[in-house]
Amino acid sequence: MERRSVRHRRAAPSVWEGLRYRGGMGQWAWVLHRLSGLGILLFLVLHVVDIFLAAFGPEVFNKLLFLYHSWVFRPFIVLLVFGVVYHALNGLRLVIVDFWPAANAYQKPMWIGATALSLGVTAISILAFFWEG
Amino acid sequence: MEVRIRIQRYNPEVDEKPHWEEYTVEVEPTDRVIDALHQIKWFQDGTLAVRRSCLHGICGSDALVINGRNRLACKTLVRDLGKVITVAPLRGFRVIKDLVVDMEPFFRKFRSVMPYLVNDERPPAHERLQSPEERARFDDTTKCILCAACTTACPSFWADSRYVGPAAIVQAHRFIFDSRDQAWRERLQILNENTGVWRCRNVFNCVEACPRDINVNKAIAEVRQALITGSRGLPLEDDEVH
């Protein structure tokens, strides 16, 4: 067996290794919180761009609107509704847990409530989108 | 019953990177994972490196990633895991060999929060008395055995190893909320730094991982509350107003 000089491996686990950890509900609540946050940021950038285009007159702006009305884009709007509501409600859960240590005992039911409410609002938004379309 | 144990092996002197090796052992369903590891080390492959000491869940030296989550090998029964068991070293520490990691950075953080009673007053003739209520205030965090299962289950620690981590905060909590302690403000200041309690994202992996069932997240929240209010919330504390 050939001996080699000892190299110290990077101790920090990768994101992939982290995601493979079988954490509890809290870990997935957190992952979803991060993903919804990134999704909202992505939409905000897009939104800033479309509002910026409005400065060039209604024709240019209207040309871009086809994007939001297309069937390809619709699922993303539904996802955005879920993302915004989930991020807000789960954020409230985190604030409550942060400021009232006793609320730690209720973090799981609070997450279930936040997620159920987010899904409910998303379901209603799907109906609304179909109604309009 | 026969179980297959997949172990992450790594010898930095010969291996380029960690790899998995599989062993088949005959165990009782009521045997613990550490018993299976002993069988492998004693009768199949003596080169396996694993650390354990008391074997009764109190020394905290055999915390491992078992079937994907942190547990003590001496407290986890084989029958609760199924026919295939995976065992890997704790995440976020340098691997010395196989399942043994370098815990020194962890203990350095433990020492950084002054984990000892500080009281410069002349001690009374007998012990420093404390009411049952005052003792109960920090009872939960006295149970910590420094196994690092919580800290190495924490995404904030994985992302940045400078984070002091849940275990050190639990240790700080144990003394911050001790009515006899006089250095609680200093400890709060240590935890107020950007490597301290504010890095916690309430992921709750620490609570799930703790083999002593400490509500780690609650302890962290209480430390944060003490930082925000500038008070420990203990009765008969007239020195707590800023």
Side-chain angles (χ1 to χ4, degrees), chain B residues 7-103:
Chain B
I7 303 178
Q8 189 178 309
R9 303 286 311 263
Y10 175 59
N11 178 355
E13 288 184 356
V14 281
D15 299 328
E16 191 69 34
K17 55 183 201 290
H19 61 278
W20 293 89
E21 281 183 29
E22 196 172 298
Y23 304 85
T24 306
V25 288
E26 187 64 34
V27 289
E28 295 293 323
T30 48
D31 275 348
R32 304 156 302 168
V33 173
I34 193 70
D35 298 314
L37 294 175
H38 277 156
Q39 272 209 41
I40 294 165
K41 183 166 176 67
W42 293 344
F43 306 115
Q44 293 188 31
D45 186 349
T47 66
L48 175 70
V50 57
R51 177 165 49 202
R52 93 284 185 283
S53 186
C54 79
L55 297 174
H56 289 80
I58 204 69
C59 74
S61 46
D62 67 351
L64 294 165
V65 185
I66 298 168
N67 279 13
R69 50 169 288 215
N70 291 358
R71 317 174 212 232
L72 292 185
C74 59
K75 264 186 113 167
T76 309
L77 298 187
V78 168
R79 68 171 177 209
D80 297 330
L81 297 170
K83 295 270 182 221
V84 182
I85 299 169
T86 61
V87 184
L90 293 176
R91 286 167 164 82
F93 292 142
R94 183 177 66 88
V95 175
I96 295 171
K97 191 183 174 214
D98 299 334
L99 301 175
V100 180
V101 291
D102 179 10
M103 302 265 286

Side-chain angles (χ1 to χ4, degrees), chain A residues 15-28 31 108, chain B residues 6 20 64-71 80-82 84-87 91 149 152-155 158 203-210:
Chain A
V15 171
W16 174 237
E17 280 175 302
L19 284 175
R20 280 164 54 100
Y21 184 80
R22 290 213 202 143
M25 179 227 85
Q27 174 171 322
W28 304 111
V31 168
K108 278 186 189 180
Chain B
R6 299 189 70 229
W20 293 89
L64 294 165
V65 185
I66 298 168
N67 279 13
R69 50 169 288 215
N70 291 358
R71 317 174 212 232
D80 297 330
L81 297 170
V84 182
I85 299 169
T86 61
V87 184
R91 286 167 164 82
T152 56
C154 174
W158 297 336
V203 179
F204 290 94
N205 273 3
C206 50
V207 183
E208 308 255 349
C210 180

Side-chain angles (χ1 to χ4, degrees), chain A residues 31-103:
Chain A
V31 168
L32 203 54
H33 196 78
R34 285 278 153 123
L35 286 177
S36 59
L38 285 173
I40 294 165
L41 179 71
L42 200 69
F43 175 76
L44 270 180
V45 171
L46 185 67
H47 189 49
V48 166
V49 169
D50 70 46
I51 292 296
F52 172 74
L53 287 180
F56 294 96
E59 295 82 22
V60 185
F61 181 66
N62 284 340
K63 269 186 192 160
L64 189 82
L65 282 186
F66 86 92
L67 187 65
Y68 297 119
H69 288 293
S70 79
W71 282 104
V72 185
F73 201 81
R74 286 256 164 118
F76 289 102
I77 295 191
V78 172
L79 272 181
L80 178 72
V81 172
F82 176 78
V84 169
V85 181
Y86 175 80
H87 202 81
L89 293 179
N90 190 53
L92 273 178
R93 162 181 165 262
L94 297 175
V95 169
I96 292 168
V97 163
D98 268 345
F99 281 91
W100 289 277

Side-chain angles (χ1 to χ4, degrees), chain B residues 219-233:
Chain B
I220 297 174
E222 286 176 351
V223 171
R224 282 199 281 225
Q225 199 178 43
L227 269 167
I228 294 166
T229 58
S231 159
R232 298 190 284 180

Side-chain angles (χ1 to χ4, degrees), chain B residues 66-231:
Chain B
I66 298 168
N67 279 13
R69 50 169 288 215
N70 291 358
R71 317 174 212 232
L72 292 185
C74 59
K75 264 186 113 167
T76 309
L77 298 187
V78 168
R79 68 171 177 209
D80 297 330
L81 297 170
K83 295 270 182 221
V84 182
I85 299 169
T86 61
V87 184
L90 293 176
R91 286 167 164 82
F93 292 142
R94 183 177 66 88
V95 175
I96 295 171
K97 191 183 174 214
D98 299 334
L99 301 175
V100 180
V101 291
D102 179 10
M103 302 265 286
E104 188 43 40
F106 175 77
F107 291 125
R108 210 178 299 135
K109 284 170 188 158
F110 163 61
R111 290 191 292 267
S112 78
V113 299
M114 309 163 66
Y116 37 81
L117 186 84
V118 178
N119 191 325
D120 295 331
E121 279 168 26
R122 248 175 85 94
H126 300 290
E127 58 273 88
R128 295 181 197 275
L129 286 178
Q130 191 168 44
S131 72
E133 292 75 26
E134 286 171 332
R135 175 60 179 75
R137 183 67 192 81
F138 58 92
D139 187 64
D140 200 32
T141 45
T142 61
K143 298 187 294 191
C144 177
I145 56 173
L146 289 170
C147 67
C150 58
T151 296
T152 56
C154 174
S156 297
F157 170 74
W158 297 336
D160 191 341
S161 61
R162 286 172 302 174
Y163 173 39
V164 71
I169 300 173
V170 161
Q171 290 294 330
H173 178 283
R174 185 254 169 269
F175 289 99
I176 288 169
F177 293 95
D178 188 328
S179 58
R180 301 162 299 182
D181 188 74
Q182 293 179 330
W184 59 277
R185 279 199 191 83
E186 280 167 69
R187 273 188 218 98
L188 283 182
Q189 277 321 305
I190 293 164
L191 295 177
N192 197 22
E193 308 220 341
N194 70 355
T195 52
V197 283
W198 309 109
R199 293 237 171 172
C200 169
R201 295 289 181 270
N202 296 318
V203 179
F204 290 94
N205 273 3
C206 50
V207 183
E208 308 255 349
C210 180
R212 307 281 296 158
D213 293 329
I214 300 172
N215 195 338
V216 184
N217 217 85
K218 189 179 179 205
I220 297 174
E222 286 176 351
V223 171
R224 282 199 281 225
Q225 199 178 43
L227 269 167
I228 294 166
T229 58
S231 159

